[in-house]
Amino acid sequence: MTVDHAQPAGAGGAPVDVSQIPVVILCGGQGTRIREASEKLPKPMIEIGEKPIVWHIMKTYYEHGFRNFVLCLGYKSDVIKSYFLDRRRLSADVVLRPGAEPEFVGGEEIEEDWTITLVETGLDAGTGGRVKLVSKYLDAPWFMLTYGDGIGDIDISAEVQHAVRMDKMACVTGVHPASRYGEMHVDDKGEMVTEFNEKPTLATGWVSGGFFMMKREFVDRYLADIDEEDMLEKKPLQQVSRDGELAVYEHEGFWMGMDTFRDWKELNGLWDADKAPWKIWKG
């Protein structure tokens, strides 16, 4: 996939400066179903290749021109903070000399000129409560929202164009999930398999891919009365849908949630084979 770095057009053809749109990433969950990959890390910090999945998600947005990220922290927030605070130092060689400050040699070059706001939103907050808690950092007419465990080759620039054109309170990416089972086509007699597909894409329906674009007004209208432990996916999104204010951007390409150890292995297999569809950047 080649990214068009031109700014997406908004209403009336005016460009939308996505560098000013905050990208909220929900990073507070524990990831209890993927403990085989790591028992000591919060789920967004579980690695694909040598980088946390949250970095892959941020890098995808970055390639589409986004520069402002707001991470909602909860479980093991210190691990996420340490990664971004010490990203270069932790990858460098360290020389310790008596009476001298540590010397860091080499280390990862930080290429991204992004702004990251790391917000403590508590251990027990729900997804809706976490968005409400970071609302003071949402200082633009729109904001993006996604989860810290889902990845895909989403054309985010096209979604921005679509959301602005639809002019609804919120827009969500719809995806076709892949089956966890092999799909068989059987002949009319029910005796012979005529076709077998491993992990086919279920094209019969749509599910939420978790990549949202929302108006800032959404927070004030749909989150003002919820409690911190409330989930975004319940009353807020159900109500905005009933109000006819939830648009969908249909994505036919790759999308995958990293929910289990099996998912983690598959995503790493794609990365190691240099076949990761979401890798739209060079290097």
Side-chain angles (χ1 to χ4, degrees):
M1 175 181 176
T2 301
V3 176
D4 181 1
H5 291 278
Q7 292 290 349
V16 176
D17 186 1
V18 297
S19 69
Q20 301 302 310
I21 297 179
V23 180
V24 178
I25 306 179
L26 297 164
C27 298
Q30 297 188 30
T32 54
R33 290 186 294 171
I34 197 171
R35 289 293 172 83
E36 300 96 325
S38 176
E39 295 185 356
K40 298 180 180 180
L41 295 175
K43 193 175 181 182
M45 292 301 296
I46 296 175
E47 293 185 343
I48 300 174
E50 297 182 349
K51 296 289 180 66
I53 187 172
V54 70
W55 178 89
H56 290 262
I57 296 166
M58 293 169 67
K59 190 74 170 176
T60 301
Y61 277 97
Y62 185 84
E63 287 300 301
H64 284 276
F66 292 85
R67 297 292 182 267
N68 183 10
F69 297 86
V70 179
L71 274 55
C72 304
L73 308 184
Y75 177 71
K76 292 189 178 293
S77 62
D78 58 312
V79 177
I80 300 177
K81 285 182 175 179
S82 294
Y83 173 77
F84 287 107
L85 285 169
D86 297 328
R87 186 170 152 195
R88 182 167 186 177
R89 294 199 308 164
L90 290 175
S91 63
D93 298 335
V94 184
V95 180
L96 301 176
R97 296 184 177 89
E101 291 293 322
E103 178 184 352
F104 297 91
V105 181
E108 179 184 356
E109 292 292 334
I110 309 302
E111 299 176 353
E112 305 86 15
D113 56 340
W114 50 30
T115 298
I116 306 172
T117 304
L118 303 165
V119 186
E120 292 286 352
T121 56
L123 287 174
D124 301 320
T127 49
R130 293 189 194 279
V131 177
K132 183 178 179 179
L133 287 167
V134 303
S135 61
K136 62 184 176 182
Y137 297 107
L138 307 181
D139 54 1
W142 297 87
F143 68 95
M144 311 301 289
L145 172 67
T146 194
Y147 302 88
D149 61 358
I151 197 74
D153 59 346
I154 315 294
D155 188 342
I156 299 173
S157 296
E159 180 175 7
V160 170
Q161 288 183 320
H162 179 72
V164 174
R165 183 172 63 253
M166 294 296 291
D167 196 28
K168 299 298 183 181
M169 197 63 62
C171 180
V172 59
T173 297
V175 300
H176 295 304
S179 171
R180 296 185 180 276
Y181 306 98
E183 176 191 51
M184 296 190 304
H185 293 184
V186 180
D187 65 13
D188 293 338
K189 294 182 180 180
E191 296 176 343
M192 298 295 295
V193 174
T194 59
E195 184 177 342
F196 187 93
N197 299 311
E198 182 184 9
K199 297 181 183 178
T201 297
L202 301 180
T204 56
W206 297 96
V207 301
S208 169
F211 285 75
F212 295 88
M213 183 171 181
M214 295 175 165
K215 290 185 177 180
R216 176 60 177 78
E217 186 183 348
F218 174 90
V219 176
D220 301 323
R221 185 179 297 186
Y222 294 97
L223 302 183
D225 297 329
I226 70 170
D227 297 324
E228 284 189 12
E229 65 271 17
D230 287 344
M231 301 299 289
L232 178 74
E233 300 77 11
K234 292 188 176 179
K235 183 179 177 181
L237 286 178
Q238 290 171 1
Q239 186 61 54
V240 76
S241 176
R242 285 194 291 266
D243 291 346
E245 287 290 331
L246 181 60
V248 62
Y249 172 72
E250 297 179 348
H251 173 63
E252 298 281 2
F254 176 85
W255 174 88
M256 190 171 180
M258 190 178 68
D259 293 324
T260 66
F261 181 65
R262 180 178 179 177
D263 298 332
W264 174 75
K265 288 185 66 177
E266 184 170 342
L267 289 169
N268 272 278
L270 289 170
W271 184 264
D272 293 343
D274 198 25
K275 295 180 179 179
W278 68 90
K279 187 178 183 294
I280 58 176
W281 56 90
K282 296 180 180 179

